[in-house]
Amino acid sequence: MKSRKIVVFGYNGETSIGRYVIEKAERLLWNILEIVDNDKRKQGEIINDKYIIKNPEVLKKLNEEDFLIIVSTDIEHDEIYTQLDNLGFKKKIDYDYVKNIPEIYSVNEYTFFRLYKNNDDLRPTILRIEISSYCNIHCEFCSFHSDIFKYKTAEYCNKNMPMSVAREIVTQINEIGTIRIVDNCMKGEMFCNPLWFEICQWIADNTEIEVFRFHTNGMLLSSLNINKLLKLRFKQIIVVVSIDGENSEEDEKLRSGSDYKIVKNNVYNLLNRKDNRFTIQFQNACFVMENSVQEEKFNYDILGGEWLKDEFFEDIKTLASPVLAGQVGANRADTEKFIELFRLKGIRKVKVPQKGMGCDKLFKEIAVNASGDVVFCACSNSYTSLGNIMVENMLNIWRGEILQNWRMKYANGESMEICQSVYCPVNQSKDAYFNIYIK
C-alpha cells in the first residue's frame, strides 16, 4: 500500500478513535505530519514521545503537498468541516471523515482496539464449559470423535468434569460478577457425565446466571433427563439439537450411533412439556471450509448440510424458535437474510464469506474444559491450557499475557493460525467460507 501523508484531527485519549488512527497509520508506515485538536486542554500533550497535539491553526502554515486531514471523531461534526473549509481545505479532496477511509478504518478493528485498550477493566459475560468431553455417538465429520481424528480422542477427550471443578467454577463466577450466560458447547455430550445434573444445579442455585445453553445430539434427551432439566432454576434454557443430512437415513449415516426416531421423539417430548423457559434450536453441523477439507483429505462428498425434507422440518419451523442454518445464528451474521433464503423453494447452495467478520470471543468469553483448563476458545480445536482454575484465578488467566497478546493481534487486524479451525464460525483465513445448503 502506498505511503500517505496525513494529519490527525481529533484526539480524546488512549481508547479514542484518534489514538486508533495514529496506531493504524504507524502500522501502515504512513507519515503523520501533525495531530491537532480544538480542545485547548489537550494542546501541548505529547503522544508516543514524538507527536505534540497542536491548535488546528497550524494547518495554515503546513508546508506540505498532497496530504490528507483525517477527522478522527466518534461522530461527524459539521463545525469541524466548516472550520476546515474556512482554512481553505476541500472535503473529500483535502480532508475526510475517518469512517469514509477504508484503508485506515475497520469497524471490527476499531471495536477490538477499544476492547483491548480497556482490558484492565474487561470482564467476561459468557462462560463456556465442558461438562463432559465424552460422546455417545461418532459423527464422521467430527474433529474430536470421528475415526479420522481418533488419535486425539484418548489424549484430549473422554473426560468428565468433577464436582470439585464445578464448585470452583461457581466460586470464581461469583468473584468475577459479570457472567450471566453459561454455555456447554465444547467437545462432548453433557449427558455422558453422570454428575451433569448436580453440576448444573450447583451453578443454578449458587450464582446469578440467568441463561444456560447446551448442545446435544438428542439421543440422551430422555424423559428422565428432561425431568431433571425442568428442575433447574435458570430463567432461560436453550437446547441446541444437532441434526445432519437431507433426510433421516443420511442423518444416521453421518452420525454413527444416532437413531433419528429417538431424537425426534425426545424433541417432541420436551416441546410437549410447554415450559416457556425452554427454547429449542437446531444446528446442522455439516459445514466445512474447502481448504480445511483438502488438508484433512476428508471425503465430504455427501456432506453439505441440506435441511430435512420430511414433516419434522415443517414441525420444527412451527414449534421451535429459531431455526437457523448451521452456525449462521451462532456467529451473529445477518440472520434475517438467511431465514429469508430458507423460504425459497428447492435447495440452494450459499457461500457465506467469513473473512473480516471479526470475533469478540476473546473479549467477552472464557472457555473452561472438563479438567478446569482455560483454553483459547470453545470454537477452536485448541488443546493448549492457558492455566487451570484449580491453581490459578480464572480472571487472572483471562487477563494474562498470552490472551492479551492475542487480543492485541485482533485489535491490529492480524490473522492468527490458532483460528484456522474447521469449526471456527468466524475464521479469519483468506477466502474462507462455509457452504450452507438452504431449502
Side-chain angles (χ1 to χ4, degrees):
M1 184 181 294
K2 182 181 177 181
S3 179
R4 302 187 68 174
K5 293 183 287 187
I6 65 168
V7 170
V8 180
F9 195 128
Y11 184 88
N12 194 28
E14 286 295 301
T15 62
S16 69
I17 198 166
R19 179 72 188 194
Y20 163 76
V21 170
I22 292 168
E23 294 195 9
K24 182 67 177 287
E26 288 184 335
R27 292 201 307 274
L28 294 173
L29 301 180
W30 287 10
N31 183 10
I32 301 175
L33 302 176
E34 298 284 1
I35 300 174
V36 300
D37 196 285
N38 283 319
D39 189 340
K40 293 182 179 179
R41 294 170 297 181
K42 298 172 189 171
Q43 293 169 9
E45 183 178 338
I46 300 174
I47 308 298
N48 290 359
D49 295 325
K50 55 183 175 181
Y51 307 116
I52 301 176
I53 300 178
K54 299 178 181 179
N55 188 302
E57 290 294 314
V58 301
L59 300 180
K60 291 180 180 178
K61 302 176 182 178
L62 192 59
N63 188 24
E64 293 280 352
E65 295 182 356
D66 191 26
F67 65 89
L68 177 68
I69 301 170
I70 301 177
V71 180
S72 304
T73 54
D74 283 318
I75 59 174
E76 296 187 73
H77 295 282
D78 289 339
E79 57 268 29
I80 293 178
Y81 297 156
T82 300
Q83 181 181 5
L84 289 171
D85 290 340
N86 292 337
L87 289 172
F89 299 109
K90 296 181 180 179
K91 191 173 183 181
K92 300 291 184 182
I93 298 175
D94 303 312
Y95 73 87
D96 205 346
Y97 183 50
V98 59
K99 295 181 181 179
N100 296 331
I101 306 172
E103 304 99 314
I104 203 80
Y105 180 81
S106 158
V107 64
N108 284 332
E109 238 181 66
Y110 179 47
T111 300
F112 303 147
F113 167 85
R114 297 192 72 166
L115 288 169
Y116 166 68
K117 289 293 184 180
N118 282 319
N119 189 59
D120 287 344
D121 299 320
L122 197 62
R123 289 175 180 264
T125 57
I126 298 173
L127 172 64
R128 294 187 183 265
I129 61 173
E130 181 181 71
I131 292 176
S132 178
S133 59
Y134 284 92
C135 194
N136 55 309
I137 68 171
H138 300 281
C139 302
E140 60 181 75
F141 50 83
C142 178
S143 62
F144 302 109
H145 297 283
S146 63
D147 287 340
I148 197 170
F149 290 117
K150 62 185 178 182
Y151 67 92
K152 298 180 181 179
T153 305
E155 185 175 358
Y156 300 116
C157 301
N158 294 351
K159 295 180 177 66
N160 282 327
M161 179 178 288
M163 278 303 300
S164 57
V165 170
R167 291 192 181 97
E168 186 60 33
I169 284 175
V170 164
T171 298
Q172 296 196 31
I173 284 175
N174 292 329
E175 290 174 353
I176 292 171
T178 54
I179 296 174
R180 292 293 177 266
I181 299 173
V182 168
D183 191 343
N184 183 86
C185 66
M186 293 177 74
K187 298 190 291 290
E189 173 71 27
M190 177 179 78
F191 296 122
C192 286
N193 189 337
L195 296 176
W196 76 265
F197 174 70
E198 287 78 4
I199 291 172
C200 292
Q201 188 176 46
W202 188 260
I203 295 172
D205 292 349
N206 295 283
T207 70
E208 296 182 4
I209 297 299
E210 299 172 351
V211 179
F212 177 64
R213 185 173 185 257
F214 71 94
H215 290 62
T216 177
N217 54 57
M219 285 293 291
L220 300 180
L221 192 63
S222 62
S223 294
L224 176 62
N225 283 334
I226 289 174
N227 289 336
K228 290 181 178 180
L229 284 170
L230 293 170
K231 294 178 182 179
L232 297 175
R233 298 178 182 176
F234 297 111
K235 290 183 179 180
Q236 184 181 10
I237 300 176
I238 302 172
V239 185
V240 184
V241 183
S242 298
I243 297 176
D244 294 293
E246 188 176 355
N247 49 51
S248 58
E249 290 77 15
E250 195 167 279
D251 177 75
E252 292 177 358
K253 182 177 181 180
L254 297 172
R255 307 174 71 80
S256 177
S258 180
D259 186 314
Y260 176 82
K261 290 182 180 179
I262 292 176
V263 174
K264 179 176 178 177
N265 289 336
N266 289 343
V267 169
Y268 280 133
N269 187 9
L270 178 56
L271 287 169
N272 290 334
R273 301 301 180 96
K274 301 187 185 303
D275 188 321
N276 59 14
R277 294 178 303 144
F278 283 82
T279 298
I280 299 181
Q281 298 177 350
F282 290 84
Q283 176 173 296
N284 191 304
C286 284
F287 58 84
V288 291
M289 290 172 294
E290 187 175 39
N291 291 342
S292 297
V293 175
Q294 291 172 351
E295 290 169 6
E296 297 291 353
K297 297 181 173 57
F298 238 145
N299 180 7
Y300 275 98
D301 291 341
I302 62 173
L303 299 186
E306 298 174 3
W307 280 97
L308 307 179
K309 287 184 175 179
D310 70 1
E311 74 283 356
F312 189 33
F313 175 71
E314 297 301 319
D315 287 339
I316 288 173
K317 286 196 297 186
T318 303
L319 298 174
S321 172
V323 180
L324 302 172
Q327 287 281 358
V328 169
N331 64 29
R332 297 170 300 283
D334 187 357
T335 302
E336 288 300 321
K337 178 174 69 174
F338 291 101
I339 289 178
E340 180 61 31
L341 288 173
F342 266 100
R343 301 189 180 105
L344 299 176
K345 293 183 179 180
I347 294 175
R348 179 175 177 178
K349 181 178 179 180
V350 179
K351 285 186 178 181
V352 185
Q354 300 299 296
K355 187 179 179 183
M357 286 182 61
C359 176
D360 58 3
K361 296 182 185 301
L362 282 172
F363 300 93
K364 72 175 186 179
E365 299 181 3
I366 291 183
V368 180
N369 69 17
S371 301
D373 293 317
V374 176
V375 296
F376 176 68
C377 83
C379 294
S380 77
N381 294 348
S382 169
Y383 307 101
T384 302
S385 173
L386 306 177
N388 191 284
I389 68 167
M390 301 303 289
V391 294
E392 298 180 68
N393 180 274
M394 187 191 306
L395 188 60
N396 289 343
I397 298 171
W398 196 64
R399 289 176 171 174
E401 183 179 356
I402 295 176
L403 279 172
Q404 182 71 336
N405 287 339
W406 280 332
R407 289 188 188 106
M408 183 171 66
K409 286 188 175 184
Y410 264 99
N412 291 339
E414 298 177 35
S415 180
M416 297 188 292
E417 290 184 6
I418 198 167
C419 297
Q420 313 311 312
S421 159
V422 175
Y423 286 112
C424 179
V426 288
N427 187 291
Q428 299 291 295
S429 61
K430 184 179 180 181
D431 300 325
Y433 62 86
F434 293 147
N435 284 332
I436 295 181
Y437 288 71
I438 299 181
K439 173 178 286 191

